[in-house]
Amino acid sequence: SSGINAEYGQIIVILKEGRQLREGEVPYKIVKQKILYDRYPGDDRWKDMPLYGDWQTQWYKPRPAENGKVPRNDFGNVELFKPWMLPPGTVHLNLPGTYSLARKLGIDAAHAVTGFEFARCRAVPVTNGVIVCEEFAETLCCAWEEQSRNHTERTEEKRVEKIYDNWKLLIKSLLIKEKILKKYDMTSEEGGSRKKKGGGHVHVYPARSKRKDKVTGQMVQKCSCGLVVPVESCEEEL
């Protein structure tokens, strides 16, 4: 029969099958195991590992809930690898946010550990939902439904408020643009050139646009509309 490790951390192998060691059982074999990652430097890298056989285990018998309290392990969780591991008198609620809600209501609740995942060379428990006593299950479910409904309403209100804010910003920007165009006697801006209401284009020659023409060697300036003229012509126009 296959051997089962009884060191806590490896005893999870037994629990994941929904079984537990019988009381008074002694290991049928002890082997040496090399510790790859020491928690404390200087420790012996070889440890004694007791092994138990399948015949030394039995079906897991969870402790029942008492006085509205959920029975927990040493880490404050409930192992729920198999359906029959649910403590008598409790209910498994797999609803998001129920643990914090139960604490707000003063209801005793514990995380349900349903598996493990490996990260950074160690096993990390995976929790799904909470375990609560049967007498508090209905109260917690009603509170969760109300909380979810309120959250949905708040989310919709924020979305509508954001839409109105965006429209207000757009209208305000258009009014400011229209005010600026009227103040400076301009109708629009196209291609970087300015147009007066009469439609006549006013050529503007920035000082930074002055350069020497590569073909003629003459100093020229360039308008924002793309027109290039000699510097003398720009001075006459101005």
Side-chain angles (χ1 to χ4, degrees), residues 6 11 24 33 47 69 77 90 93 111 119 131 150 160 167 173 175 179 208 215 224-225 227-228 231 233:
I11 200 172
Q33 180 188 30
K47 302 291 183 181
K69 299 294 182 181
N77 303 319
T90 63
L93 300 178
H111 290 291
I131 307 297
N150 293 337
V160 174
W167 274 108
S173 301
L175 292 175
K179 183 177 180 180
R208 63 177 179 273
V215 178
S224 58
C225 68
L227 178 65
V228 179
V231 174
S233 301

Coordinates of all heavy atoms in Angstrom, one line a residue, residues 6 11 24 33 47 69 77 90 93 111 119 131 150 160 167 173 175 179 208 215 224-225 227-228 231 233:
A6 N 3.0 12.0 7.3 CA 2.2 12.5 8.5 C 2.7 13.9 9.0 O 2.2 14.4 10.0 CB 2.2 11.5 9.6
I11 N 0.6 16.3 5.7 CA -0.6 15.5 6.1 C -1.9 16.0 5.3 O -2.9 15.3 5.3 CB -0.9 15.7 7.6 CG1 -1.8 14.6 8.1 CG2 -1.5 17.1 7.9 CD1 -1.9 14.6 9.7
G24 N -4.0 6.9 17.9 CA -3.1 5.9 18.4 C -2.2 5.2 17.4 O -1.4 4.3 17.8
Q33 N 14.3 12.7 4.9 CA 13.9 13.6 3.8 C 14.9 14.8 3.8 O 15.1 15.4 4.8 CB 12.5 14.1 4.0 CG 12.0 15.0 2.8 CD 10.7 15.6 3.1 OE1 10.3 15.8 4.3 NE2 9.9 15.9 2.1
K47 N 15.7 15.6 7.6 CA 14.7 15.5 8.6 C 14.1 14.1 8.6 O 14.0 13.4 7.6 CB 13.6 16.5 8.5 CG 14.1 17.9 8.5 CD 14.6 18.4 9.8 CE 15.0 19.9 9.8 NZ 15.5 20.3 11.1
K69 N -20.6 28.8 16.8 CA -19.2 28.9 16.4 C -18.8 27.8 15.5 O -19.2 26.6 15.7 CB -18.3 28.8 17.7 CG -18.6 30.0 18.7 CD -18.2 31.3 18.1 CE -18.4 32.4 19.1 NZ -18.0 33.8 18.6
N77 N -9.1 28.2 9.5 CA -9.8 27.9 8.4 C -10.6 26.6 8.5 O -10.4 25.9 9.6 CB -8.9 27.8 7.1 CG -8.2 29.1 6.9 OD1 -8.7 30.2 7.0 ND2 -6.9 29.0 6.5
T90 N -23.4 23.4 9.9 CA -22.9 24.6 9.1 C -23.3 24.5 7.7 O -23.8 23.5 7.2 CB -21.4 24.7 9.2 OG1 -20.8 23.5 8.6 CG2 -20.9 24.7 10.7
L93 N -21.2 28.8 2.0 CA -21.7 29.9 1.1 C -20.6 30.4 0.2 O -19.7 31.0 0.7 CB -22.3 31.1 2.0 CG -23.5 30.7 2.9 CD1 -23.9 32.0 3.7 CD2 -24.6 30.2 2.1
H111 N -13.1 30.9 6.5 CA -12.8 30.6 5.1 C -12.8 29.1 4.8 O -12.3 28.3 5.6 CB -11.4 31.2 4.7 CG -11.4 32.7 4.6 ND1 -12.1 33.4 3.7 CD2 -10.8 33.6 5.4 CE1 -11.9 34.7 3.9 NE2 -11.1 34.9 4.9
A119 N 3.2 28.5 -5.3 CA 3.8 29.8 -5.7 C 5.0 30.0 -4.9 O 5.0 29.8 -3.6 CB 2.7 30.9 -5.5
I131 N -17.7 29.4 5.6 CA -18.5 28.4 6.4 C -19.2 29.1 7.5 O -18.5 29.8 8.3 CB -17.7 27.3 6.9 CG1 -16.8 26.6 5.8 CG2 -18.5 26.2 7.6 CD1 -17.7 26.0 4.7
N150 N -27.4 47.3 -3.6 CA -27.0 48.7 -3.4 C -25.7 49.0 -4.2 O -25.6 50.1 -4.7 CB -26.7 48.9 -1.9 CG -28.0 48.8 -1.0 OD1 -29.1 49.0 -1.6 ND2 -27.8 48.5 0.2
V160 N -24.0 57.2 -14.7 CA -24.9 58.3 -15.3 C -24.3 59.7 -14.9 O -24.3 60.6 -15.8 CB -26.3 58.2 -14.7 CG1 -27.2 59.4 -15.1 CG2 -27.0 56.9 -15.2
W167 N -20.8 65.5 -20.8 CA -21.6 66.4 -21.6 C -21.4 67.9 -21.2 O -21.3 68.8 -22.0 CB -23.1 66.0 -21.6 CG -23.4 65.0 -22.6 CD1 -23.7 63.7 -22.3 CD2 -23.5 65.1 -24.0 NE1 -24.0 63.0 -23.5 CE2 -23.9 63.8 -24.5 CE3 -23.3 66.2 -24.9 CZ2 -24.0 63.6 -25.9 CZ3 -23.5 66.0 -26.2 CH2 -23.8 64.7 -26.7
S173 N -16.7 73.6 -23.2 CA -15.6 73.8 -24.1 C -16.0 74.5 -25.4 O -15.3 75.4 -25.9 CB -14.9 72.4 -24.4 OG -14.4 71.8 -23.3
L175 N -18.6 76.5 -25.8 CA -18.9 77.9 -25.5 C -17.7 78.7 -25.4 O -17.7 79.9 -25.9 CB -19.8 77.9 -24.2 CG -21.2 77.3 -24.3 CD1 -21.8 77.3 -22.9 CD2 -22.0 78.1 -25.3
K179 N -16.7 81.8 -27.8 CA -16.4 83.2 -27.2 C -15.0 83.7 -27.7 O -14.9 84.9 -28.0 CB -16.4 83.0 -25.7 CG -16.2 84.3 -25.0 CD -16.3 84.1 -23.5 CE -16.1 85.5 -22.7 NZ -16.1 85.3 -21.3
R208 N 10.7 82.6 -36.4 CA 11.5 81.3 -36.4 C 11.4 80.6 -37.7 O 12.2 79.7 -38.0 CB 10.9 80.4 -35.3 CG 9.5 80.0 -35.5 CD 9.1 79.0 -34.4 NE 7.7 78.6 -34.5 CZ 6.6 79.3 -34.0 NH1 6.9 80.4 -33.3 NH2 5.4 78.9 -34.2
V215 N 18.3 76.8 -52.9 CA 18.5 76.9 -54.4 C 18.9 78.3 -54.7 O 20.0 78.5 -55.4 CB 17.1 76.6 -55.1 CG1 17.3 76.8 -56.6 CG2 16.7 75.2 -54.8
S224 N 2.1 80.0 -42.1 CA 1.6 78.7 -41.6 C 0.7 78.0 -42.7 O 0.5 76.8 -42.6 CB 0.7 79.0 -40.4 OG -0.3 79.9 -40.7
C225 N 0.3 78.7 -43.7 CA -0.5 78.1 -44.8 C 0.4 77.4 -45.8 O -0.1 76.8 -46.7 CB -1.4 79.2 -45.5 SG -0.5 80.4 -46.4
L227 N 2.9 79.2 -47.7 CA 3.4 80.2 -48.6 C 4.8 80.6 -48.2 O 5.0 81.0 -47.1 CB 2.5 81.4 -48.7 CG 2.9 82.5 -49.7 CD1 3.0 82.0 -51.1 CD2 2.0 83.7 -49.5
V228 N 5.7 80.5 -49.2 CA 7.1 80.9 -48.9 C 7.4 82.1 -49.7 O 7.3 82.1 -51.0 CB 8.1 79.8 -49.2 CG1 9.6 80.2 -49.0 CG2 7.8 78.5 -48.4
V231 N 12.2 87.6 -47.6 CA 12.1 88.4 -46.4 C 11.6 89.8 -46.7 O 10.8 90.4 -46.0 CB 13.4 88.4 -45.6 CG1 13.3 89.3 -44.4 CG2 13.8 87.0 -45.1
S233 N 9.7 90.8 -49.1 CA 8.3 90.8 -49.4 C 7.5 90.8 -48.1 O 6.4 91.5 -48.0 CB 7.9 89.6 -50.3 OG 8.6 89.7 -51.5

